[in-house]
DNA sequence: AAAAACAGTTTCAAATAATGAAACTTAGTT
DNA sequence: AACTAAGTTTCATTATTTGAAACTGTTTTT
Protein backbone atom coordinates (compact mmCIF):
# COMPACT_ATOMS: atom_id res chain seq x y z
CA UNK A 1 0.00 0.00 0.00
CA UNK A 2 2.59 2.62 0.94
CA UNK A 3 5.78 2.72 -1.05
CA UNK A 4 8.23 5.40 -2.05
CA UNK A 5 11.63 3.92 -2.79
CA UNK A 6 12.13 3.29 -6.44
CA UNK A 7 15.87 3.17 -6.20
CA UNK A 8 16.97 5.73 -3.69
CA UNK A 9 19.63 3.53 -2.18
CA UNK A 10 20.34 3.25 1.47
CA UNK A 11 18.71 6.55 2.34
CA UNK A 12 15.46 5.55 0.68
CA UNK A 13 15.41 2.29 2.58
CA UNK A 14 16.03 4.01 5.90
CA UNK A 15 13.22 6.46 5.25
CA UNK A 16 10.96 3.54 4.40
CA UNK A 17 11.66 2.21 7.88
CA UNK A 18 10.59 5.57 9.30
CA UNK A 19 7.32 5.29 7.39
CA UNK A 20 6.80 1.82 8.76
CA UNK A 21 7.18 3.02 12.33
CA UNK A 22 4.82 5.92 11.66
CA UNK A 23 2.21 3.58 10.19
CA UNK A 24 1.94 1.66 13.44
CA UNK A 25 0.48 4.72 15.15
CA UNK A 26 1.93 3.54 18.46
CA UNK A 27 5.30 2.67 19.96
CA UNK A 28 6.49 -0.51 18.32
CA UNK A 29 8.89 -3.35 19.10
CA UNK A 30 11.72 -4.39 16.85
CA UNK A 31 10.18 -7.79 16.18
CA UNK A 32 6.89 -6.24 15.12
CA UNK A 33 8.72 -4.09 12.62
CA UNK A 34 10.64 -7.10 11.38
CA UNK A 35 7.44 -8.98 10.53
CA UNK A 36 6.24 -6.19 8.26
CA UNK A 37 9.64 -5.39 6.84
CA UNK A 38 11.13 -6.25 3.48
CA UNK A 39 14.58 -6.18 5.10
CA UNK A 40 16.44 -9.03 6.80
CA UNK A 41 16.96 -8.83 10.54
CA UNK A 42 20.45 -7.33 10.80
CA UNK A 43 19.74 -4.79 8.09
CA UNK A 44 16.58 -3.57 9.75
CA UNK A 45 18.38 -3.61 13.09
CA UNK A 46 21.05 -1.27 11.84
CA UNK A 47 18.56 1.11 10.27
CA UNK A 48 16.65 1.36 13.50
CA UNK A 49 19.90 1.96 15.41
CA UNK A 50 21.02 4.66 13.03
CA UNK A 51 17.65 6.40 13.03
CA UNK A 52 17.59 6.32 16.82
CA UNK A 53 21.11 7.76 17.03
CA UNK A 54 19.97 10.48 14.74
CA UNK A 55 16.92 11.39 16.80
CA UNK A 56 14.52 10.41 14.02
CA UNK A 57 13.28 7.60 16.22
CA UNK A 58 13.22 7.47 19.98
CA UNK A 59 13.75 4.33 21.98
CA UNK A 60 12.05 3.51 25.25
CA UNK A 61 14.40 1.13 27.09
CA UNK A 62 11.77 0.07 29.64
CA UNK A 63 9.22 -1.06 27.11
CA UNK A 64 11.76 -1.77 24.40
CA UNK A 65 9.77 0.16 21.85
CA UNK A 66 10.53 2.64 19.13
CA UNK A 67 8.49 5.74 18.33
CA UNK A 68 8.98 8.70 16.01
CA UNK A 69 11.68 11.03 17.33
CA UNK A 70 11.50 14.68 18.36
CA UNK A 71 13.93 15.75 15.68
CA UNK A 72 11.05 15.33 13.27
CA UNK A 73 8.98 17.98 14.96
CA UNK A 74 11.85 20.43 14.57
CA UNK A 75 12.26 19.58 10.91
CA UNK A 76 8.52 19.65 10.26
CA UNK A 77 8.24 23.14 11.71
CA UNK A 78 10.31 24.33 8.81
CA UNK A 79 8.31 22.19 6.37
CA UNK A 80 5.07 23.60 7.62
CA UNK A 81 6.30 27.14 7.15
CA UNK A 82 7.83 26.74 3.73
CA UNK A 83 6.30 23.82 1.87
CA UNK A 84 2.77 23.77 3.02
CA UNK A 85 -0.17 25.86 2.07
CA UNK A 86 -0.98 26.35 5.73
CA UNK A 87 0.96 29.55 6.33
CA UNK A 88 -0.57 31.32 3.35
CA UNK A 89 -4.04 29.88 3.85
CA UNK A 90 -4.33 30.42 7.59
CA UNK A 91 -6.03 33.83 7.56
CA UNK A 92 -8.45 32.76 4.84
CA UNK A 93 -9.61 29.62 6.55
CA UNK A 94 -9.94 31.42 9.85
CA UNK A 95 -12.29 33.89 8.27
CA UNK A 96 -14.27 31.11 6.66
CA UNK A 97 -14.50 29.18 9.92
CA UNK A 98 -15.78 32.22 11.75
CA UNK A 99 -18.25 32.93 8.98
CA UNK A 100 -19.83 29.48 8.88
CA UNK A 101 -19.16 28.26 12.42
CA UNK A 102 -18.13 24.83 11.14
CA UNK A 103 -14.81 23.02 10.91
CA UNK A 104 -12.69 24.14 7.99
CA UNK A 105 -9.94 21.80 6.77
CA UNK A 106 -6.98 22.38 4.54
CA UNK A 107 -5.17 19.55 2.78
CA UNK A 108 -2.41 18.70 0.35
CA UNK A 109 -1.73 15.35 -1.26
CA UNK A 110 1.20 13.26 -0.10
CA UNK A 111 1.84 10.06 -1.99
CA UNK A 112 -1.81 9.32 -2.70
CA UNK A 113 -3.05 10.29 0.72
CA UNK A 114 -4.81 13.43 1.83
CA UNK A 115 -2.52 15.20 4.23
CA UNK A 116 -4.26 17.58 6.59
CA UNK A 117 -2.03 20.59 6.90
CA UNK A 118 -4.36 22.77 8.90
CA UNK A 119 -7.71 22.76 10.61
CA UNK A 120 -9.74 25.54 12.05
CA UNK A 121 -12.82 25.08 14.12
CA UNK A 122 -14.08 27.96 16.17
CA UNK A 123 -15.53 25.88 18.96
CA UNK A 124 -12.47 23.73 19.74
CA UNK A 125 -9.43 25.66 18.78
CA UNK A 126 -6.96 23.43 20.61
CA UNK A 127 -7.34 20.50 18.32
CA UNK A 128 -5.34 22.13 15.56
CA UNK A 129 -1.88 20.85 16.26
CA UNK A 130 -3.05 17.33 16.89
CA UNK A 131 -4.65 17.35 13.44
CA UNK A 132 -1.90 18.77 11.28
CA UNK A 133 0.04 16.01 9.63
CA UNK A 134 -2.77 13.51 10.02
CA UNK A 135 -3.55 11.53 6.92
CA UNK A 136 -6.85 10.39 5.48
CA UNK A 137 -7.66 8.36 2.36
CA UNK A 138 -8.10 10.23 -0.92
CA UNK A 139 -11.00 8.23 -2.40
CA UNK A 140 -13.53 8.80 0.39
CA UNK A 141 -13.02 12.34 1.62
CA UNK A 142 -14.20 15.59 0.11
CA UNK A 143 -10.70 17.04 0.22
CA UNK A 144 -9.20 13.96 -1.39
CA UNK A 145 -11.67 13.79 -4.23
CA UNK A 146 -11.39 17.52 -4.89
CA UNK A 147 -7.62 17.13 -5.30
CA UNK A 148 -7.78 13.92 -7.33
CA UNK A 149 -10.36 15.40 -9.70
CA UNK A 150 -8.05 18.19 -10.81
CA UNK A 151 -4.81 16.34 -11.24
CA UNK A 152 -3.28 15.60 -14.61
CA UNK A 153 -4.27 12.24 -16.07
CA UNK A 154 -0.95 10.55 -15.24
CA UNK A 155 -0.91 11.80 -11.67
CA UNK A 156 -4.52 10.82 -11.20
CA UNK A 157 -3.84 7.28 -12.46
CA UNK A 158 -0.90 6.96 -10.07
CA UNK A 159 -2.85 8.37 -7.14
CA UNK A 160 -5.91 6.21 -7.81
CA UNK A 161 -3.73 3.12 -7.89
CA UNK A 162 -2.65 3.98 -4.34
CA UNK A 163 -6.17 3.91 -2.96
CA UNK A 164 -7.25 0.96 -0.87
CA UNK A 165 -11.04 1.27 -1.44
CA UNK A 166 -11.80 0.04 2.05
CA UNK A 167 -15.57 0.47 2.60
CA UNK A 168 -15.60 2.65 5.72
CA UNK A 169 -19.37 3.19 5.48
CA UNK A 170 -22.17 2.01 3.17
CA UNK A 171 -21.72 5.15 1.05
CA UNK A 172 -17.99 4.67 0.45
CA UNK A 173 -17.01 4.36 -3.21
CA UNK A 174 -15.40 0.95 -3.50
CA UNK A 175 -13.90 0.77 -6.97
CA UNK A 176 -11.70 2.88 -9.18
CA UNK A 177 -14.51 2.92 -11.79
CA UNK A 178 -17.00 4.47 -9.38
CA UNK A 179 -14.36 6.90 -8.21
CA UNK A 180 -13.43 7.96 -11.75
CA UNK A 181 -17.08 8.59 -12.60
CA UNK A 182 -17.42 10.74 -9.49
CA UNK A 183 -14.19 12.60 -10.27
CA UNK A 184 -15.56 13.54 -13.70
CA UNK A 185 -18.64 15.03 -12.09
CA UNK A 186 -16.48 16.94 -9.65
CA UNK A 187 -14.27 18.26 -12.41
CA UNK A 188 -17.36 19.67 -14.11
CA UNK A 189 -19.03 21.16 -11.07
CA UNK A 190 -15.87 22.36 -9.36
CA UNK A 191 -17.02 21.06 -5.98
CA UNK A 192 -16.68 17.71 -4.21
CA UNK A 193 -18.91 16.23 -1.55
CA UNK A 194 -18.28 13.71 1.16
CA UNK A 195 -21.65 12.02 1.76
CA UNK A 196 -20.69 10.17 4.93
CA UNK A 197 -18.20 8.17 2.89
CA UNK A 198 -15.42 8.15 5.44
CA UNK A 199 -17.28 8.51 8.69
CA UNK A 200 -20.95 7.92 9.45
CA UNK A 201 -22.63 11.21 10.29
CA UNK A 202 -19.93 13.46 8.85
CA UNK A 203 -20.52 15.27 5.58
CA UNK A 204 -18.47 17.92 3.83
CA UNK A 205 -18.20 20.18 0.84
CA UNK A 206 -14.73 20.66 -0.60
CA UNK A 207 -13.14 22.51 -3.44
CA UNK A 208 -9.74 22.51 -5.06
CA UNK A 209 -7.10 25.19 -4.64
CA UNK A 210 -5.44 25.88 -7.97
CA UNK A 211 -2.93 28.29 -9.38
CA UNK A 212 -3.83 30.56 -12.27
CA UNK A 213 -2.17 28.03 -14.60
CA UNK A 214 -4.64 25.48 -13.30
CA UNK A 215 -2.22 23.27 -11.38
CA UNK A 216 -3.64 21.81 -8.22
CA UNK A 217 -1.99 22.68 -4.93
CA UNK A 218 -4.51 21.49 -2.35
CA UNK A 219 -8.10 21.71 -1.19
CA UNK A 220 -10.32 23.37 1.41
CA UNK A 221 -13.44 21.92 2.92
CA UNK A 222 -16.24 22.72 5.32
CA UNK A 223 -17.34 19.71 7.35
CA UNK A 224 -20.33 19.28 9.57
CA UNK A 225 -22.35 16.67 11.37
CA UNK A 226 -25.60 15.31 9.88
CA UNK A 227 -27.16 15.89 13.25
CA UNK A 228 -26.89 19.61 12.66
CA UNK A 229 -26.92 20.13 8.91
CA UNK A 230 -27.39 18.25 5.68
CA UNK A 231 -25.29 18.37 2.54
CA UNK A 232 -27.80 20.75 0.97
CA UNK A 233 -27.38 23.16 3.90
CA UNK A 234 -23.67 23.28 3.15
CA UNK A 235 -24.54 24.49 -0.35
CA UNK A 236 -25.12 27.84 1.25
CA UNK A 237 -21.38 28.23 1.82
CA UNK A 238 -20.44 27.17 -1.67
CA UNK A 239 -19.74 30.70 -2.96
CA UNK A 240 -17.70 31.59 0.13
CA UNK A 241 -15.72 28.34 -0.15
CA UNK A 242 -14.99 28.89 -3.83
CA UNK A 243 -13.89 32.44 -3.16
CA UNK A 244 -11.55 31.39 -0.36
CA UNK A 245 -10.04 28.64 -2.51
CA UNK A 246 -9.44 31.11 -5.29
CA UNK A 247 -7.78 33.62 -3.00
CA UNK A 248 -5.54 31.02 -1.45
CA UNK A 249 -4.58 29.86 -4.93
CA UNK A 250 -3.57 33.34 -5.98
CA UNK A 251 -1.56 33.95 -2.84
CA UNK A 252 0.07 30.54 -2.99
CA UNK A 253 1.29 31.39 -6.45
CA UNK A 254 2.82 34.63 -5.32
CA UNK A 255 4.53 32.86 -2.46
CA UNK A 256 5.58 30.07 -4.77
CA UNK A 257 4.22 27.24 -2.72
CA UNK A 258 5.50 24.16 -4.55
CA UNK A 259 2.82 22.31 -6.50
CA UNK A 260 3.04 18.84 -8.02
CA UNK A 261 2.81 19.33 -11.75
CA UNK B 1 27.44 24.51 15.70
CA UNK B 2 24.93 21.82 14.81
CA UNK B 3 26.19 18.28 14.40
CA UNK B 4 24.75 14.86 14.85
CA UNK B 5 26.58 12.34 12.69
CA UNK B 6 29.27 10.51 14.59
CA UNK B 7 29.43 7.63 12.14
CA UNK B 8 25.97 6.91 10.94
CA UNK B 9 27.01 6.28 7.38
CA UNK B 10 25.12 7.44 4.37
CA UNK B 11 21.86 7.89 6.24
CA UNK B 12 23.48 10.15 8.84
CA UNK B 13 24.98 12.29 6.11
CA UNK B 14 21.69 12.62 4.28
CA UNK B 15 19.92 13.68 7.46
CA UNK B 16 22.66 16.22 8.05
CA UNK B 17 21.73 17.74 4.70
CA UNK B 18 18.11 17.96 5.87
CA UNK B 19 19.27 19.85 8.94
CA UNK B 20 21.24 22.20 6.76
CA UNK B 21 18.21 23.04 4.66
CA UNK B 22 16.11 23.54 7.80
CA UNK B 23 18.73 25.90 9.26
CA UNK B 24 18.34 28.30 6.39
CA UNK B 25 14.78 29.05 7.41
CA UNK B 26 13.89 29.80 3.81
CA UNK B 27 13.92 28.08 0.43
CA UNK B 28 17.52 27.62 -0.56
CA UNK B 29 19.52 27.14 -3.74
CA UNK B 30 21.82 24.22 -4.34
CA UNK B 31 24.86 26.45 -4.48
CA UNK B 32 24.03 28.05 -1.13
CA UNK B 33 23.88 24.63 0.41
CA UNK B 34 27.14 23.68 -1.20
CA UNK B 35 28.96 26.60 0.41
CA UNK B 36 27.97 25.48 3.89
CA UNK B 37 28.36 21.80 3.20
CA UNK B 38 31.12 19.42 4.22
CA UNK B 39 30.32 17.33 1.13
CA UNK B 40 31.75 17.67 -2.37
CA UNK B 41 29.45 18.85 -5.12
CA UNK B 42 28.27 15.57 -6.66
CA UNK B 43 27.76 13.95 -3.28
CA UNK B 44 25.60 16.80 -2.02
CA UNK B 45 23.82 16.85 -5.35
CA UNK B 46 22.82 13.22 -5.03
CA UNK B 47 21.65 13.65 -1.45
CA UNK B 48 19.45 16.54 -2.42
CA UNK B 49 18.06 14.52 -5.33
CA UNK B 50 17.32 11.52 -3.17
CA UNK B 51 15.70 13.59 -0.43
CA UNK B 52 13.56 15.36 -3.01
CA UNK B 53 12.48 12.04 -4.58
CA UNK B 54 11.54 10.90 -1.13
CA UNK B 55 9.45 13.94 -0.34
CA UNK B 56 11.70 15.01 2.50
CA UNK B 57 12.60 18.10 0.50
CA UNK B 58 10.50 19.88 -2.06
CA UNK B 59 11.90 21.55 -5.13
CA UNK B 60 10.56 24.70 -6.71
CA UNK B 61 11.53 24.57 -10.39
CA UNK B 62 10.75 28.24 -11.03
CA UNK B 63 13.01 29.60 -8.34
CA UNK B 64 15.31 26.59 -8.33
CA UNK B 65 15.12 26.29 -4.58
CA UNK B 66 14.75 23.50 -2.07
CA UNK B 67 12.58 23.62 1.04
CA UNK B 68 11.58 21.07 3.63
CA UNK B 69 9.08 18.58 2.22
CA UNK B 70 5.53 17.79 3.26
CA UNK B 71 6.38 14.20 4.12
CA UNK B 72 7.96 15.62 7.25
CA UNK B 73 4.70 17.03 8.50
CA UNK B 74 3.12 13.60 8.16
CA UNK B 75 5.96 11.94 10.03
CA UNK B 76 6.04 14.64 12.69
CA UNK B 77 2.38 14.18 13.42
CA UNK B 78 3.23 10.77 14.74
CA UNK B 79 6.27 12.11 16.59
CA UNK B 80 4.21 14.76 18.25
CA UNK B 81 1.71 12.19 19.44
CA UNK B 82 4.16 9.60 20.72
CA UNK B 83 7.50 11.14 21.55
CA UNK B 84 6.65 14.54 22.78
CA UNK B 85 5.33 15.67 26.09
CA UNK B 86 2.70 17.72 24.32
CA UNK B 87 -0.09 15.18 24.18
CA UNK B 88 0.15 14.42 27.88
CA UNK B 89 0.76 18.01 28.93
CA UNK B 90 -1.90 19.68 26.81
CA UNK B 91 -4.77 19.71 29.35
CA UNK B 92 -2.44 20.88 32.11
CA UNK B 93 -1.01 23.80 30.22
CA UNK B 94 -4.43 24.81 28.97
CA UNK B 95 -5.65 25.05 32.53
CA UNK B 96 -2.61 27.04 33.53
CA UNK B 97 -2.98 29.41 30.59
CA UNK B 98 -6.62 30.05 31.44
CA UNK B 99 -5.72 30.57 35.07
CA UNK B 100 -3.01 33.15 34.55
CA UNK B 101 -4.06 34.62 31.20
CA UNK B 102 -0.49 34.61 29.93
CA UNK B 103 1.35 32.51 27.34
CA UNK B 104 2.34 29.09 28.60
CA UNK B 105 5.12 27.23 26.79
CA UNK B 106 6.18 23.61 26.83
CA UNK B 107 9.61 22.49 25.72
CA UNK B 108 11.93 19.52 25.37
CA UNK B 109 15.61 19.60 24.57
CA UNK B 110 16.84 18.54 21.15
CA UNK B 111 20.56 18.46 20.62
CA UNK B 112 21.34 21.39 22.91
CA UNK B 113 18.46 23.53 21.73
CA UNK B 114 15.16 24.19 23.41
CA UNK B 115 12.47 22.68 21.24
CA UNK B 116 9.03 24.19 21.69
CA UNK B 117 6.57 21.34 21.54
CA UNK B 118 3.49 23.26 22.52
CA UNK B 119 2.26 26.73 23.29
CA UNK B 120 -0.98 27.92 24.73
CA UNK B 121 -2.08 31.50 24.91
CA UNK B 122 -5.66 32.31 25.56
CA UNK B 123 -5.73 35.50 23.57
CA UNK B 124 -4.29 34.17 20.28
CA UNK B 125 -4.98 30.52 20.05
CA UNK B 126 -4.14 30.19 16.42
CA UNK B 127 -0.44 30.67 16.83
CA UNK B 128 0.07 27.21 18.28
CA UNK B 129 0.94 25.24 15.20
CA UNK B 130 3.28 27.88 13.95
CA UNK B 131 5.19 27.63 17.21
CA UNK B 132 5.48 23.88 17.68
CA UNK B 133 8.83 22.67 16.47
CA UNK B 134 10.40 26.10 16.71
CA UNK B 135 13.78 26.17 18.37
CA UNK B 136 15.31 28.66 20.76
CA UNK B 137 18.73 28.74 22.44
CA UNK B 138 19.11 26.92 25.76
CA UNK B 139 21.34 29.42 27.58
CA UNK B 140 19.07 32.43 27.42
CA UNK B 141 15.54 31.17 27.85
CA UNK B 142 13.73 30.19 31.02
CA UNK B 143 12.76 26.85 29.56
CA UNK B 144 16.29 26.12 28.39
CA UNK B 145 17.92 26.95 31.70
CA UNK B 146 15.33 24.96 33.64
CA UNK B 147 16.15 21.90 31.56
CA UNK B 148 19.91 22.41 31.60
CA UNK B 149 19.94 22.87 35.38
CA UNK B 150 18.51 19.42 36.03
CA UNK B 151 20.50 17.35 33.59
CA UNK B 152 23.19 14.92 34.66
CA UNK B 153 26.69 16.42 34.72
CA UNK B 154 27.79 14.74 31.49
CA UNK B 155 24.69 15.76 29.58
CA UNK B 156 24.94 19.28 30.92
CA UNK B 157 28.56 19.57 29.79
CA UNK B 158 27.66 18.34 26.33
CA UNK B 159 24.63 20.66 26.11
CA UNK B 160 26.55 23.71 27.36
CA UNK B 161 29.24 23.12 24.78
CA UNK B 162 26.55 23.45 22.10
CA UNK B 163 25.53 26.94 23.20
CA UNK B 164 26.58 29.90 21.11
CA UNK B 165 26.41 32.58 23.82
CA UNK B 166 25.29 35.22 21.36
CA UNK B 167 24.35 38.35 23.39
CA UNK B 168 20.74 38.88 22.24
CA UNK B 169 20.18 41.61 24.84
CA UNK B 170 22.29 43.34 27.52
CA UNK B 171 21.08 40.81 30.12
CA UNK B 172 22.05 37.70 28.14
CA UNK B 173 24.54 35.43 29.90
CA UNK B 174 27.54 35.33 27.64
CA UNK B 175 29.86 32.68 29.04
CA UNK B 176 29.61 29.11 30.21
CA UNK B 177 30.91 30.22 33.62
CA UNK B 178 28.08 32.68 34.15
CA UNK B 179 25.62 30.09 32.88
CA UNK B 180 26.92 27.38 35.22
CA UNK B 181 26.64 29.71 38.20
CA UNK B 182 23.06 30.51 37.25
CA UNK B 183 22.25 26.83 36.73
CA UNK B 184 23.42 26.07 40.28
CA UNK B 185 21.06 28.69 41.66
CA UNK B 186 18.23 27.24 39.59
CA UNK B 187 18.97 23.74 40.76
CA UNK B 188 18.63 24.95 44.35
CA UNK B 189 15.51 27.05 43.91
CA UNK B 190 13.76 24.74 41.44
CA UNK B 191 12.73 27.66 39.23
CA UNK B 192 14.40 29.48 36.34
CA UNK B 193 13.86 33.04 35.17
CA UNK B 194 14.33 34.69 31.85
CA UNK B 195 15.12 38.33 32.65
CA UNK B 196 14.80 39.68 29.11
CA UNK B 197 17.78 37.55 28.16
CA UNK B 198 16.50 36.43 24.78
CA UNK B 199 14.16 39.23 23.84
CA UNK B 200 13.92 42.75 25.20
CA UNK B 201 10.65 43.18 27.06
CA UNK B 202 9.87 39.48 27.46
CA UNK B 203 10.31 37.81 30.85
CA UNK B 204 9.35 34.36 32.03
CA UNK B 205 9.33 31.96 34.90
CA UNK B 206 10.04 28.32 34.07
CA UNK B 207 10.35 25.06 35.90
CA UNK B 208 11.55 21.60 35.00
CA UNK B 209 9.32 18.60 34.39
CA UNK B 210 10.86 15.52 35.98
CA UNK B 211 9.92 11.92 36.55
CA UNK B 212 9.77 10.49 40.08
CA UNK B 213 13.30 9.14 39.54
CA UNK B 214 14.40 12.71 38.96
CA UNK B 215 15.21 12.44 35.27
CA UNK B 216 14.38 15.54 33.30
CA UNK B 217 11.86 15.31 30.47
CA UNK B 218 11.12 18.94 29.67
CA UNK B 219 10.02 22.28 31.07
CA UNK B 220 6.98 24.55 31.34
CA UNK B 221 7.04 28.33 31.50
CA UNK B 222 4.78 31.32 31.84
CA UNK B 223 5.92 34.28 29.77
CA UNK B 224 4.76 37.86 29.80
CA UNK B 225 5.65 41.31 28.59
CA UNK B 226 7.38 43.79 30.90
CA UNK B 227 4.82 46.31 29.77
CA UNK B 228 2.21 44.37 31.68
CA UNK B 229 4.01 42.55 34.46
CA UNK B 230 7.40 42.25 36.11
CA UNK B 231 9.29 39.12 37.08
CA UNK B 232 8.11 39.55 40.65
CA UNK B 233 4.48 39.53 39.49
CA UNK B 234 5.10 36.16 37.89
CA UNK B 235 6.12 34.85 41.32
CA UNK B 236 2.44 34.71 42.07
CA UNK B 237 2.06 31.80 39.66
CA UNK B 238 5.05 29.91 41.01
CA UNK B 239 3.01 27.41 43.05
CA UNK B 240 0.62 26.75 40.16
CA UNK B 241 3.52 26.31 37.77
CA UNK B 242 5.32 23.88 40.08
CA UNK B 243 2.12 21.89 40.56
CA UNK B 244 1.50 21.64 36.83
CA UNK B 245 5.08 20.56 36.21
CA UNK B 246 4.78 17.87 38.82
CA UNK B 247 1.53 16.55 37.42
CA UNK B 248 2.87 16.45 33.90
CA UNK B 249 5.92 14.60 35.22
CA UNK B 250 3.81 11.96 36.88
CA UNK B 251 1.63 11.46 33.84
CA UNK B 252 4.57 11.41 31.47
CA UNK B 253 6.01 8.57 33.49
CA UNK B 254 2.84 6.58 33.27
CA UNK B 255 2.70 7.15 29.53
CA UNK B 256 6.39 6.36 29.22
CA UNK B 257 7.36 9.48 27.41
CA UNK B 258 10.99 8.87 26.53
CA UNK B 259 13.46 10.89 28.61
CA UNK B 260 17.14 11.41 27.94
CA UNK B 261 18.94 9.79 30.83
C1' DA C 1 28.85 38.24 -30.82
C1' DA C 2 32.49 35.86 -28.62
C1' DA C 3 34.54 34.85 -24.29
C1' DA C 4 34.40 34.02 -19.66
C1' DA C 5 32.19 32.78 -15.48
C1' DC C 6 28.95 30.27 -13.16
C1' DA C 7 25.44 26.81 -11.68
C1' DG C 8 24.02 22.50 -12.29
C1' DT C 9 24.63 17.63 -14.06
C1' DT C 10 26.95 13.31 -15.59
C1' DT C 11 30.83 9.91 -15.88
C1' DC C 12 33.57 6.18 -14.13
C1' DA C 13 37.13 3.68 -11.68
C1' DA C 14 38.52 3.36 -6.84
C1' DA C 15 37.20 3.24 -2.10
C1' DT C 16 33.97 2.38 1.16
C1' DA C 17 29.98 1.09 3.27
C1' DA C 18 25.99 -1.95 3.26
C1' DT C 19 24.52 -6.64 3.30
C1' DG C 20 22.69 -11.06 5.33
C1' DA C 21 23.63 -16.01 6.62
C1' DA C 22 25.00 -17.81 10.55
C1' DA C 23 26.54 -17.73 15.08
C1' DC C 24 26.04 -15.81 19.51
C1' DT C 25 24.05 -13.61 23.78
C1' DT C 26 20.45 -12.46 26.66
C1' DA C 27 15.98 -12.64 28.83
C1' DG C 28 11.98 -15.08 29.46
C1' DT C 29 9.52 -19.88 29.64
C1' DT C 30 8.44 -24.59 30.48
C1' DA D 1 18.26 -27.24 33.87
C1' DA D 2 16.60 -27.32 29.22
C1' DC D 3 14.07 -24.79 25.90
C1' DT D 4 12.47 -20.80 23.30
C1' DA D 5 12.22 -16.38 21.48
C1' DA D 6 14.10 -11.71 20.96
C1' DG D 7 17.83 -9.04 20.25
C1' DT D 8 22.85 -8.41 18.90
C1' DT D 9 27.38 -9.31 16.71
C1' DT D 10 30.56 -11.33 13.19
C1' DC D 11 32.70 -11.37 8.75
C1' DA D 12 33.41 -12.48 4.00
C1' DT D 13 30.89 -11.01 -0.05
C1' DT D 14 28.56 -7.66 -2.74
C1' DA D 15 26.75 -3.50 -4.03
C1' DT D 16 26.65 1.33 -3.26
C1' DT D 17 28.70 5.41 -2.46
C1' DT D 18 32.27 8.53 -3.58
C1' DG D 19 34.57 12.64 -5.84
C1' DA D 20 37.94 14.35 -9.39
C1' DA D 21 37.23 15.66 -13.66
C1' DA D 22 34.72 16.49 -17.58
C1' DC D 23 30.54 18.22 -19.58
C1' DT D 24 26.27 21.13 -20.50
C1' DG D 25 23.50 24.91 -20.31
C1' DT D 26 22.67 29.52 -18.68
C1' DT D 27 23.97 34.08 -17.45
C1' DT D 28 27.33 37.86 -17.30
C1' DT D 29 31.20 40.33 -18.98
C1' DT D 30 34.27 42.06 -22.47
Amino acid sequence: MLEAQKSDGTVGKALHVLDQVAEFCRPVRFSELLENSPFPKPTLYRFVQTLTNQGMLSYDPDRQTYAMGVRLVRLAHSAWRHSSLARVARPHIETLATQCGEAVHLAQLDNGHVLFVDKCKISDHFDTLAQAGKIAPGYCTGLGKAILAFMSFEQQQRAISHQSFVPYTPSTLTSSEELKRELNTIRESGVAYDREEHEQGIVSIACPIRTSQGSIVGAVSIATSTRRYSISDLEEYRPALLAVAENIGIEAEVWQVPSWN
Side-chain angles (χ1 to χ4, degrees), chain A:
Chain A
M1 44 189 67
L2 264 180
E3 89 304 315
Q5 35 136 349
K6 0 186 162 200
S7 59
D8 284 328
T10 316
V11 176
K13 293 178 204 168
L15 294 176
H16 178 73
V17 173
L18 262 192
D19 268 341
Q20 277 199 103
V21 177
E23 247 181 298
F24 267 89
C25 293
R26 62 174 171 81
V28 65
R29 283 186 79 104
F30 173 71
S31 53
E32 296 181 284
L33 278 176
L34 187 58
E35 281 171 25
N36 299 51
S37 180
F39 309 116
K41 197 155 50 150
T43 303
L44 181 66
Y45 180 70
R46 275 177 310 238
F47 279 136
V48 167
Q49 291 280 92
T50 303
L51 291 169
T52 306
N53 272 337
Q54 292 287 328
M56 301 297 278
L57 290 178
S58 71
Y59 179 65
D60 178 340
D62 294 330
R63 307 205 165 180
Q64 298 190 91
T65 54
Y66 296 90
M68 306 305 282
V70 271
R71 185 174 178 183
L72 283 163
V73 358
R74 193 187 73 216
L75 296 172
H77 172 68
S78 193
W80 192 83
R81 290 181 62 91
H82 302 297
S83 293
S84 89
L85 275 175
R87 215 182 78 266
V88 161
R90 179 57 76 82
H92 299 281
I93 69 169
E94 272 181 36
T95 311
L96 189 59
T98 317
Q99 212 173 313
C100 66
E102 296 295 327
V104 175
H105 295 259
L106 179 73
Q108 293 179 235
L109 204 77
D110 178 33
N111 206 233
H113 292 278
V114 178
L115 182 69
F116 283 87
V117 291
D118 210 351
K119 175 190 171 162
C120 189
K121 190 178 177 182
I122 291 309
S123 43
D124 70 337
H125 39 257
F126 288 116
D127 208 26
T128 316
L129 216 161
Q131 295 288 328
K134 202 171 176 179
I135 56 168
Y139 67 98
C140 63
T141 58
L143 290 165
K145 292 189 293 183
I147 295 176
L148 290 170
F150 290 92
M151 286 176 143
S152 72
F153 184 71
E154 293 76 23
Q155 291 179 298
Q156 196 182 77
Q157 290 290 100
R158 246 178 56 90
I160 290 176
S161 70
H162 287 166
Q163 306 304 314
S164 69
F165 294 106
V166 169
Y168 288 95
T169 76
S171 0
T172 308
L173 303 178
T174 51
S175 71
S176 60
E177 288 69 32
E178 277 185 283
L179 179 60
K180 279 179 195 160
R181 218 171 306 129
E182 167 107 355
L183 294 181
N184 285 334
T185 317
I186 295 168
R187 198 195 281 265
E188 278 164 33
S189 68
V191 190
Y193 298 98
D194 172 351
R195 305 176 177 85
E196 309 186 53
E197 291 159 42
H198 184 41
E199 208 175 323
Q200 200 75 251
I202 302 294
V203 292
S204 71
I205 177 172
C207 79
I209 300 171
R210 311 167 71 190
T211 63
S212 59
Q213 286 94 47
S215 66
I216 178 97
V217 293
V220 233
S221 78
I222 304 176
T224 189
S225 161
T226 48
R227 280 180 300 181
R228 275 175 294 165
Y229 296 108
S230 69
I231 282 267
S232 46
D233 293 325
L234 286 178
E235 273 302 316
E236 192 193 320
Y237 300 119
R238 186 184 177 140
L241 188 65
L242 285 165
V244 161
E246 188 175 344
N247 289 333
I248 297 174
I250 292 165
E251 261 199 67
E253 199 165 8
V254 175
W255 289 96
Q256 295 286 336
V257 171
S259 62
W260 342 274
N261 267 8

